[in-house]
Amino acid sequence: SVAANGATSGEGGAGLERQLVERELRAQYEDRVTELEEAVEASSSIKKSLQAEASRAAASLAESRAARDEATATATREAEAAAESRAAAAEAGRAAEAAQRALESAR
């Protein structure tokens, strides 16, 4: 009977020790899960921030390209107008020379 009580006490102690170990492991597990959830939230926040930044960069790039294209079109129109002005000036110069020769011939 004494041996049986000793064995029971030993078994009870082992059971209590097991419960303590299980509680400690459970607490460690829950702490780790919490850490991982926080890491996921932080990663998600960073991802959203980067996506917003990428979106702003894409919009800025599109605006820059549109401005560049408009500047190129304006420069092309101005170059064409300058070429037309030079051609008109050359034509006017030839007409003036012809008129000068006609005047000289008429004298």
Side-chain angles (χ1 to χ4, degrees):
S1 167
V2 173
N5 285 340
T8 304
S9 297
E11 289 173 10
L16 181 60
E17 186 176 338
R18 179 183 172 133
Q19 288 177 355
L20 292 174
V21 169
E22 286 177 354
R23 254 189 244 141
E24 180 62 27
L25 289 174
R26 180 58 135 171
Q28 289 175 1
Y29 168 80
E30 289 173 357
D31 288 347
R32 184 65 178 138
V33 167
T34 300
E35 288 175 12
L36 291 173
E37 287 172 345
E38 290 171 355
V40 167
E41 287 178 24
S43 294
S44 179
S45 178
I46 291 169
K47 179 181 176 184
K48 287 177 184 174
S49 177
L50 290 174
Q51 286 173 331
E53 188 175 331
S55 180
R56 286 190 299 272
S60 178
L61 178 60
E63 289 176 14
S64 294
R65 285 181 175 165
R68 181 200 61 205
D69 292 347
E70 180 59 32
T72 300
T74 299
T76 300
R77 286 191 300 272
E78 290 173 354
E80 290 169 351
E84 289 173 6
S85 293
R86 285 191 299 274
E91 183 62 32
R94 287 189 293 275
E97 290 171 3
Q100 183 67 32
R101 283 192 298 273
L103 275 174
E104 290 172 2
S105 299
R107 292 185 189 167

